[in-house]
């Protein structure tokens, strides 16, 4: 009976994907404002920054559960806390990155991750040219030494940046070592056992967005001419 | 009068962002099936590959305007055409990439772009170490030579992979040369004149998705225990 009840709850909780994907961008802006000593932020200011409609910003922010004040807007520090809480980012999250090629290196150099409490603690690669190198302060270890490195205490998230052909094997290895959340940048559909969550990152997704906007523009021009 | 009418149409055409972002993933799978000589594909097969609900796949595909046949499913070649048409990817799109660092290099190495008809024809950077180098078959030119390279015929899309501090200036330069669509990987909100479209790519968006799924799992565990 409990099982059914919670399945129902789960079904009910449909994720607002675009809103969730926008959260780090709000956070980026708010952390910058915090560093500049700003106390309040209006939804209009955020809408301009995000380049989206005011109503969308208000809906996004209401998801976090914060309540704004008329005229004053939101308290910057408070909104940061609410967004972090919404994302489950209050406590640091440890991660391992597998594949220190150009994409892996780009991710290691992404400054914002640490502000989000996302700590890439381990970097693995199989290439003899990479192993032992230091990339943005992290030493690259050989993929074969994963078990040793984790020492029974696997990181919460693994980021897969290896080639498409190697990705499934790496995923299997990570899962066998206890990793439960995988952020997959390889262009393959990973097979994982129940209880393991994969977020597949498709870089071309943004290109598709841009392409559709371009197509809309063209259609409008054709209609108006 | 016409103006009002088309503004209304525009408002009406709310973009299904998650569906659009998934399109390249369908296309990736379908192109692979095409190469393997497969003729038909069922929505169940696609749902398994995408790791999403069947109903979501059906809705996504219906956006393209194709009609499937009961039991047979969709014709692979036909579905490819419909998706490409939906995205406005029937004809090749030319692009310039600015910033040949690790992220830019990763994008240059992304095999699927050419299958989508997305051709990065120009690569620019300011670093003397990069200029003149060949990356995945493309010669890196100095950013100062953009006008010369385009020779009055700018590419349709520019991909910005420079540092956050350099991004606005590069965008200004691109816009002044006639570029209308910008795919921005720098973590800044670019200011562009009306008529120029910016798609901001926030890598951490996927991490936010994974984080929310992780938080949901934890909440469920807490409820059940």
């Amino acid at each position: 009976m409990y099982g059914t009840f919670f399945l129902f709850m789960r079904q009910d909780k449909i994720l607002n994907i675009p809103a969730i994907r926008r959260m780090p961008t709000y956070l980026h802006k708010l952390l910058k404002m915090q560093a500049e000593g700003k106390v309040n932020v209006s939804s209009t200011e955020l809408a301009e920054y995000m380049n989206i409609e005011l109503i969308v910003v208000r809906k996004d922010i209401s998801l976090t559960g914060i309540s704004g004040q008329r005229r004053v807007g939101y308290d910057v520090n408070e909104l940061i806390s609410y967004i972090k809480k919404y994302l489950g980012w209050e406590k640091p999250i440890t991660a391992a990155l597998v594949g220190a090629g150009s994409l892996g290196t780009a991710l290691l150099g992404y400054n914002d991750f640490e502000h989000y409490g996302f700590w890439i603690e381990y970097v693995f690669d199989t290439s003899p040219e990479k192993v032992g190198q230091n990339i943005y302060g992290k030493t690259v270890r050989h993929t074969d030494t994963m078990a040793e490195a984790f020492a029974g205490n696997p990181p919460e998230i693994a980021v897969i940046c290896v080639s498409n052909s190697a990705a499934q094997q790496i995923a299997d290895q990570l899962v066998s070592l206890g990793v439960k959340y995988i952020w997959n940048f390889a262009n393959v559909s990973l097979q994982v056992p129940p209880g393991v969550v994969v977020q597949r990152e498709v870089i071309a997704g943004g290109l598709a967005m841009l392409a559709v906007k371009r197509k809309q523009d063209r259609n409008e021009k054709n209609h108006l001419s």
Side-chain angles (χ1 to χ4, degrees), chain A residues 155-190:
Chain A
E156 291 183 79
I157 293 180
V159 189
I160 295 186
C161 292
V162 300
S163 65
N164 297 350
S165 56
Q168 183 63 55
Q169 193 214 313
I170 292 294
D172 293 345
Q173 207 175 331
L174 287 161
V175 168
S176 76
L177 293 170
V179 172
K180 295 266 179 267
Y181 298 93
I182 295 176
W183 194 13
N184 174 32
F185 283 83
N187 207 350
V188 288
S189 180
L190 295 175

Side-chain angles (χ1 to χ4, degrees), chain A residues 2-224:
Chain A
Y2 274 101
T4 318
F5 178 58
F6 288 110
L7 261 173
F8 178 73
M9 276 191 62
R10 175 92 200 224
Q11 291 271 345
D12 203 31
K13 234 184 193 173
I14 290 170
L15 296 178
N16 183 338
I17 299 176
I20 296 168
R21 290 193 75 101
R22 279 191 289 267
M23 291 296 171
T25 316
Y26 288 113
L27 210 46
H28 175 80
K29 172 69 172 168
L30 293 164
L31 289 166
K32 221 177 140 199
M33 293 180 82
Q34 189 183 50
E36 289 162 2
K38 297 206 175 119
V39 177
N40 293 302
V41 61
S42 68
S43 23
T44 316
E45 225 172 327
L46 289 173
E48 265 167 38
Y49 178 78
M50 303 291 291
N51 196 22
I52 53 175
E53 303 290 325
L54 188 56
I55 190 169
V56 179
V57 169
R58 290 206 175 125
K59 274 190 189 169
D60 285 357
I61 289 178
S62 73
L63 284 175
T64 67
I66 198 174
S67 48
Q69 285 181 302
R70 275 205 177 276
R71 295 179 198 224
V72 182
Y74 305 98
D75 180 283
V76 170
N77 293 331
E78 206 186 342
L79 187 50
I80 291 172
S81 304
Y82 271 82
I83 293 178
K84 283 194 171 176
K85 204 179 158 199
Y86 175 70
L87 297 174
W89 279 355
E90 309 102 306
K91 287 184 200 162
I93 302 176
T94 58
L97 183 138
V98 191
S102 47
L103 184 61
T105 301
L107 292 176
L108 285 169
Y110 193 79
N111 292 322
D112 267 22
F113 284 152
E114 300 196 351
H115 298 139
Y116 303 158
F118 182 71
W119 293 92
I120 299 177
E121 291 201 349
Y122 309 93
V123 181
F124 300 100
D125 203 292
T126 49
S127 153
E129 289 161 38
K130 295 274 164 61
V131 175
Q133 290 248 340
N134 187 299
I135 304 178
Y136 292 106
K138 306 275 152 54
T139 303
V140 182
R141 306 171 193 223
H142 197 285
T143 310
D144 289 346
T145 67
M146 261 190 218
E148 225 176 285
F150 298 163
N153 189 19
E156 291 183 79
I157 293 180
V159 189
I160 295 186
C161 292
V162 300
S163 65
N164 297 350
S165 56
Q168 183 63 55
Q169 193 214 313
I170 292 294
D172 293 345
Q173 207 175 331
L174 287 161
V175 168
S176 76
L177 293 170
V179 172
K180 295 266 179 267
Y181 298 93
I182 295 176
W183 194 13
N184 174 32
F185 283 83
N187 207 350
V188 288
S189 180
L190 295 175
Q191 305 300 313
V192 293
V196 176
V197 177
V198 178
Q199 172 69 27
R200 180 171 172 182
E201 202 62 29
V202 178
I203 295 282
L207 182 62
M209 285 297 300
L210 192 59
V212 168
K213 289 174 188 169
R214 172 174 163 271
K215 202 188 138 203
Q216 280 193 335
D217 280 355
R218 300 194 153 207
N219 286 349
E220 269 170 43
K221 273 177 202 147
N222 288 343
H223 279 294
L224 292 167

